[in-house]
């Protein structure tokens, strides 16, 4: 390249977005406030949201510089699947509000990196669309539903699509009040109000892409709408989703689902033991992104005790607050077998469009590998040996 070409040429993706934090800043600039606030916000005073990130600082590593040299190998086997790294995109609802076709872009990014990806029941792409990209590496997240016939139909669809790993989310027993969403009048589809139109008009790229793709909807669930009765999306969700999840309900899922079953959203040692007793293949330690209870502990708080309680007989996964590969290393060191993340992937699509997830996952791979190299650890399963306890 000539001198002038170097001087005035475009910046590389790495220069523009060297971190997940830089992607989040761009996502805020490129999306309407109602979309960004939905994805980035928590509940209450958002103290739990802040703790999800700040608590990582409690975990320090002691580097071993006189260790034998060796290449870092991130390859991991989780739930019977060999994957390229011990982390993956987790299920997040309504990512299509952040950027059109976000679930498909995230799925393609995961596939490019040899990783699975979660898909929410309330995603804006259907499980059939995403399974066409990921095959058996699609991990479908089921929200327990009031109508068992709908649950059974969704499970049959997932099985027919080649699904192997079912994530059953149990940490949303009922509706919440989130101040940001109330202030913005968040609804699906977005409400027809001048403030909504103004926010969209102030983000022209988002508006143009949304017009091309269409107003986001919960595509896995739309076939269950009472179209003859003029049912709205909000009333569909109210009719279909919700309720607590006693062990008997989880046992029913265990009987219905022939593949791997993971219980998502546990913080209690007692709940983890119950999941183990009913035959779950794994659990996900999570406070649901600090979106349900502002006073809930963080995964950092409870992960070591849960790992000790269930031993090595089931997969212990975790999510919440991840922004760097160092964060992933910290979770693995505290006993997690695998790490999921939601917001970073949504931010990556909003910042860069279809290229975002590939770039974000590459950043996290490099950061995790670099962290392990600095510590002197070549195997993610050995990170716990390097925690500094002074």
């Amino acid at each position: 390249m000539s001198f002038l070409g170097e001087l005035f040429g475009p910046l590389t993706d790495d220069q523009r977005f060297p971190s997940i934090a830089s992607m989040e800043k761009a996502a805020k600039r490129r999306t309407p406030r109602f979309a960004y606030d939905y994805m980035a916000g928590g509940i209450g005073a958002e103290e739990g949201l802040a703790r999800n990130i700040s608590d990582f600082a409690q975990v320090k590593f002691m580097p071993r510089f006189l260790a034998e040299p060796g290449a870092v190998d991130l390859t991991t086997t989780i739930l019977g699947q060999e994957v390229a790294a011990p982390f993956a995109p987790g299920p997040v609802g309504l990512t299509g509000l952040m950027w059109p076709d976000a679930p498909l872009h995230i799925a393609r990014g995961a596939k490019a990196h040899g990783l699975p990806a979660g898909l929410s029941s309330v995603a804006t792409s259907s499980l059939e669309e995403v399974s066409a990209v990921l095959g058996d590496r699609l991990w479908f997240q089921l929200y327990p539903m009031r109508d068992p016939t709908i649950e059974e139909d969704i499970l049959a669809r997932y099985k027919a699509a080649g699904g192997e790993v079912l994530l059953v989310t149990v940490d949303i027993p009922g509706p919440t009040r989130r101040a940001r969403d109330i202030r913005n009048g968040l609804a699906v589809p977005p409400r027809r109000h001048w403030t909504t139109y103004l926010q969209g008009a102030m983000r022209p790229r988002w508006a143009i892409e949304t017009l091309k793709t269409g107003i986001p909807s919960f595509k896995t669930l739309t076939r269950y709408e009472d179209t003859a009765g003029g049912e709205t999306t909000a009333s569909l969700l109210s009719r279909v989703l919700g309720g607590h999840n006693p062990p008997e309900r989880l046992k029913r899922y265990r009987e219905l689902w022939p593949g791997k079953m993971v219980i998502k959203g546990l913080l209690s040692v007692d709940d983890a033991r119950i999941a183990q007793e009913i035959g779950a293949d794994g659990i996900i330690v999570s406070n649901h992104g600090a979106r349900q209870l502002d006073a809930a502990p963080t995964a950092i708080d409870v992960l070591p005790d849960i790992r000790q309680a269930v031993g090595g007989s089931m997969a212990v996964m975790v999510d919440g607050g991840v922004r760097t590969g160092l964060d992933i290393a910290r979770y693995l060191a505290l006993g997690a077998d695998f790490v999921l993340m939601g917001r970073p992937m949504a931010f990556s699509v909003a910042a860069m469009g279809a290229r975002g997830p590939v770039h974000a996952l590459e950043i996290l791979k490099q950061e995790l590998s670099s962290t392990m190299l600095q510590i002197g650890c070549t195997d993610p399963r050995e990170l716990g040996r390097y925690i500094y306890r002074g």
Side-chain angles (χ1 to χ4, degrees), residues 12 43 48 54 57 69 82 106 111 114 121 125 148 159 181 185 195-196 215 227 268 285 325-327 357 371 385:
T12 66
I43 195 169
S54 65
E82 185 173 307
I106 292 169
K111 183 177 182 179
S121 292
S125 297
K159 183 179 179 182
D181 295 344
T195 57
T196 305
I215 300 299
T227 53
S268 157
V285 179
L326 175 58
D327 295 339
T371 296
R385 295 172 48 205

Side-chain angles (χ1 to χ4, degrees), residues 182-204:
I182 294 170
R183 179 192 65 196
N184 292 325
L186 182 71
V188 179
R191 63 177 185 150
R192 297 182 178 182
H193 190 268
W194 70 266
T195 57
T196 305
Y197 289 117
L198 178 61
Q199 288 181 42
M202 292 173 65
R203 301 292 185 266

Side-chain angles (χ1 to χ4, degrees), residues 70-368:
V72 172
D73 183 4
L74 298 183
T75 304
T76 302
T77 299
I78 186 74
L79 300 171
Q81 297 181 343
E82 185 173 307
V83 298
F87 62 86
V92 182
L94 207 50
T95 48
L97 192 65
M98 284 289 284
W99 204 258
D101 285 335
L104 291 170
H105 297 322
I106 292 169
R108 292 175 185 129
K111 183 177 182 179
H113 280 282
L115 300 173
L119 183 74
S120 171
S121 292
V122 291
T124 51
S125 297
S126 71
L127 69 88
E128 287 85 2
E129 290 173 315
V130 179
S131 67
V133 175
L134 283 170
D136 61 8
R137 298 306 172 93
L138 167 62
W139 293 3
F140 181 70
Q141 174 220 32
L142 178 73
Y143 278 120
M145 301 184 181
R146 302 181 192 279
D147 187 338
T149 61
I150 294 178
E151 285 183 329
E152 291 170 15
D153 187 63
I154 289 175
L155 293 182
R157 290 167 58 191
Y158 182 41
K159 183 179 179 182
E164 293 185 356
V165 176
L166 178 69
L167 313 179
V168 181
T169 291
V170 298
D171 57 358
I172 305 187
T176 59
R177 283 181 58 86
R178 297 178 190 141
R180 295 200 204 197
D181 295 344
I182 294 170
R183 179 192 65 196
N184 292 325
L186 182 71
V188 179
R191 63 177 185 150
R192 297 182 178 182
H193 190 268
W194 70 266
T195 57
T196 305
Y197 289 117
L198 178 61
Q199 288 181 42
M202 292 173 65
R203 301 292 185 266
R205 182 66 182 274
W206 176 92
I208 291 168
E209 295 299 321
T210 297
L211 287 172
K212 288 180 183 176
T213 308
I215 300 299
S217 63
F218 302 126
K219 290 187 177 179
T220 295
L221 300 180
T222 51
R223 69 170 63 183
Y224 308 113
E225 289 179 359
D226 179 9
T227 53
E231 185 173 42
T232 65
T233 300
S235 60
L236 169 68
L237 295 183
S238 177
R239 174 172 62 85
V240 170
L241 303 182
H244 278 86
N245 298 279
E248 292 73 21
R249 192 174 195 179
L250 299 182
K251 289 176 183 176
R252 174 174 168 271
Y253 295 136
R254 179 68 285 178
E255 293 169 359
L256 285 171
W257 184 249
K260 303 292 186 181
M261 187 179 83
V262 177
I263 308 302
K264 182 181 186 298
L266 301 184
L267 294 168
S268 157
V269 166
D270 291 339
D271 283 349
R273 288 191 175 120
I274 290 171
Q276 190 174 34
E277 290 167 3
I278 63 124
D281 299 287
I283 58 172
I284 299 174
V285 179
S286 171
N287 63 17
H288 208 90
R291 295 168 64 81
Q292 299 301 114
L293 176 65
D294 207 23
T298 67
I300 291 283
D301 289 328
V302 301
L303 177 58
D305 289 341
I306 289 177
R307 174 83 273 178
Q308 183 176 13
V310 302
S313 64
M314 69 189 310
V316 175
M317 298 183 277
V318 65
D319 71 24
V322 170
R323 295 296 186 273
T324 67
L326 175 58
D327 295 339
I328 294 170
R330 285 163 159 160
Y331 269 149
L332 296 172
L334 291 177
D337 298 305
F338 203 75
V339 179
L340 297 170
M341 59 230 149
R343 288 185 176 102
M345 304 314 301
F347 295 148
S348 75
V349 182
M352 298 178 65
R355 303 195 321 278
V358 173
H359 184 57
L361 291 169
E362 181 61 29
I363 289 172
L364 294 169
K365 272 187 175 179
Q366 290 187 18
E367 289 178 343
L368 176 56

